[in-house]
Amino acid sequence: MNTAVRLSESMVTQAKVYSKAMHRSVSKQIEYWASIGRVAEEHPELPYSFIQDILVSQQEVAAEQLVPYQFASP
């Protein structure tokens, strides 16, 4: 579902810069920031890098790109 949302010019300008660097569209960059913000609000104890790993893992599951975890041998 597409919904028009008003954003500040500053936010859109920053998103344009980051979207180019991260090879995303501006709207996907803003969605990415919103996803990180949502997880951070729900779980303030989690570090940013862990939140990124969660989002990557969710996409791996969706793409059926799962790799079994290999436990270290004693």
Side-chain angles (χ1 to χ4, degrees), residues 2 15 19 22-35:
N2 292 328
S19 69
M22 302 306 235
H23 305 288
R24 298 182 180 115
S25 67
V26 174
S27 60
K28 289 294 181 186
Q29 182 64 43
I30 294 169
E31 285 179 17
Y32 177 71
W33 284 342
S35 296

Side-chain angles (χ1 to χ4, degrees), residues 7 9-10 12 14-16 21 23-24 35 40 42 45 56-57 64:
L7 300 170
E9 188 174 327
S10 173
V12 174
Q14 290 175 23
K16 285 179 182 179
H23 305 288
R24 298 182 180 115
S35 296
E42 291 172 355
E45 72 283 359
V56 169
S57 296
E64 297 182 4

Side-chain angles (χ1 to χ4, degrees), residues 33-46 51:
W33 284 342
S35 296
I36 291 172
R38 181 181 45 80
V39 175
E41 276 194 349
E42 291 172 355
H43 306 281
E45 72 283 359
L46 297 179
I51 293 171

